[in-house]
Amino acid sequence: MHTNLFTGRDLALDVYSSNHPISIVTFEARNKHLDALKPGAFGPGFGKGRFAPQGFNEFIIRRSRNHWYQTSEMLAVAEIVNRVAAGTKVITYGGNMGGFAAINFSPLLRASAFIALSPLYDIQQGNEAGDTRWDGEGRLLDFQYNFIRAGECRKSQGYAFFCADGPDAIHAELIRRETGATLVPVPFGGHPCSFYLNDTYKLKPLVSEIASGSFDLDRFYAVLDQRTLDTHYPYERASILQERSGNIGEATRQARIAVSKNDGLKRLQVRLGNLLLKEGDLDGAEMAFKRAIGMRPVDPVAHIRLSYVYAARRNFDDAVAEMERAILMDPIRAEYHVRLGEWLVRKGDLVAAERAMMRAIELKPDAVVAPVRLKAIRLKMGALSILGRLRRN
């Protein structure tokens, strides 16, 4: 039975109750389309509908902004959860920002265990992890409810899953220092690692097993070993490493294998297109970028890369058109306007190129490239003007 238990400015709380002895409390991850201070629309909730069909009571904490749950409304929500979930075994669950919250608020929610995917220890400026990925939000927010950092989660138990190859490993070690977490490094996935876990072990059985006390770490790793080769992750990483070593042919081969394992993932198509462009296979690159655009038409990256294909063919009409599409999707990136200006110069439209460079300078006044390009354009315009007058005379 679904009930909305709370709706405030920052948080909303829903429950799907089935009178089960186990309650799963889920926290939403960070959403790059939301602001840290200004509320937007509430999301559907992390893992919505994943656990209630299995019989568990499913509490869904939804957020309207990227506040990292540093809001007094969290205290009111916790009080409601504690009252409604009284007498049940509580498990907290979330990823990224939600992973931080799953650990951070586990004592407040009287949780028996937390399940955190790619959790963060701290994101404030100058944080102990040395992580600057969320510096903007870390400067804006007052982390008055960082109970992990305050040492108030020492007795909290649970599992922290994270990609071993990246900065999340530093956060994980700090979390282990301040909690009773069992760290579970996984070989792939980056941040967040939830997609990798769902593509291999699957998240529903993972959470269900931990909640019911039947999770076995050795079996978990055995399943990962068995299933990972059927996913794109190892081939994508191999492609990246080969490209860094300058082995473009092998990088392309690995990228093709990755695409064959998951042909619906945009970033794999973009990676393959970039490698084919480096190899000079313009037809193959064009096809890869167009597939990426078909998967996500509103993403500017593939349009930009496709413009490079057209520019390599000296088809500057289409190169300009693709850059203009990218700018419509993300109009405040100065470097996009610089690239548009360069294509316009090659096309021969110096007036439009001048406008593009002036817009780039307006967006990023301290940039170096745009003023140099603008000066060159104006010199060329002046030279052409003089030449025109000489011809008329």
Side-chain angles (χ1 to χ4, degrees), residues 26 116 125-126 206 218 220 225 265 288-289 291 369:
T26 71
Q125 194 172 26
L206 177 67
D218 290 336
F220 168 80
D225 288 343
L265 193 57
F289 294 137
R291 286 198 197 105
V369 174

Side-chain angles (χ1 to χ4, degrees), residues 23 62 89 106 108 135 146 156 203 212 231 273 282:
S23 297
R62 299 181 288 138
K89 178 183 177 182
S106 58
L108 195 63
D135 246 11
N146 189 332
S156 297
L203 289 173
S212 61
T231 70
L282 300 183

Side-chain angles (χ1 to χ4, degrees), residues 12-25:
L13 172 66
D14 296 336
V15 65
Y16 292 82
S17 180
S18 58
N19 297 315
H20 195 276
I22 297 175
S23 297
I24 312 288
V25 181

